[in-house]
Amino acid sequence: MASTSRTRTGRGRGRGRGRGSSSLPPPPSTLPLIIEEFFIIVYEDPLVKKELPKKFADYLDGQEPAKVYLRAADCGPRLWTVEVLFDGQGRMYLDKGWEKFAIAHGVDFGWFVHFKYEGDDVLTVKVFDGTMCRRYYYSDGRR
């Protein structure tokens, strides 16, 4: 008796194993760097200027805004104006105006503050307390 062998044609189980066009995204090194979200951890006095990540400062690519506008997520349209300080070494800080925002939102030691860059110098902010739970703030529209 002659034995017959089966030859696989590449069809059937499994996806993407054939020789067709690939729908895989390009490798990360070829994608443009977009820094839209980042966080800081409050290690020192919560009311003094806060350094933002250098990658975010680099992302602004020399635009160096004089101020940014902070908006607490899910808390209405109120924008908090905060002056920005650049130190000439590529570091960016939230300066005058940060203290008012921090007091109004109860920012304290060990808290995480998450930022999302919305463009036009607006940062949406979410605050997480020492239990790592998000703090929610409600606006009554009187501010």
Side-chain angles (χ1 to χ4, degrees), residues 44-62:
E44 71 277 343
D45 185 346
L47 305 181
V48 300
K49 69 182 179 186
K50 294 291 165 246
E51 183 177 354
L52 300 183
K54 185 167 180 348
K55 277 192 176 182
F56 178 67
D58 293 344
Y59 171 71
L60 295 179
D61 193 27

Side-chain angles (χ1 to χ4, degrees), residues 26-98:
S29 62
T30 63
L31 297 174
L33 180 63
I34 299 174
I35 306 295
E36 291 180 339
E37 297 185 65
F38 56 90
F39 68 89
I40 61 172
I41 303 171
V42 180
Y43 286 122
E44 71 277 343
D45 185 346
L47 305 181
V48 300
K49 69 182 179 186
K50 294 291 165 246
E51 183 177 354
L52 300 183
K54 185 167 180 348
K55 277 192 176 182
F56 178 67
D58 293 344
Y59 171 71
L60 295 179
D61 193 27
Q63 294 173 27
E64 298 188 1
K67 55 183 84 169
V68 293
Y69 305 93
L70 304 182
R71 182 180 69 79
D74 305 322
C75 193
R78 170 140 192 214
L79 296 175
W80 298 76
T81 303
V82 177
E83 291 182 16
V84 176
L85 174 67
F86 289 89
D87 68 358
Q89 304 291 319
R91 291 187 290 265
M92 175 181 181
Y93 299 86
L94 296 177
D95 198 21
K96 294 179 182 161
W98 167 255

Side-chain angles (χ1 to χ4, degrees), residues 92-135:
M92 175 181 181
Y93 299 86
L94 296 177
D95 198 21
K96 294 179 182 161
W98 167 255
E99 179 180 1
K100 288 181 183 179
F101 181 87
I103 290 171
H105 295 87
V107 177
D108 207 349
F109 293 98
W111 288 22
F112 282 57
V113 183
H114 173 272
F115 297 88
K116 181 177 182 186
Y117 184 61
E118 305 288 351
D120 296 326
D121 302 330
V122 175
L123 293 163
T124 298
V125 182
K126 294 178 184 176
V127 178
F128 295 79
D129 64 21
T131 67
M132 301 304 152
C133 293
R134 182 170 164 204
R135 303 271 305 218

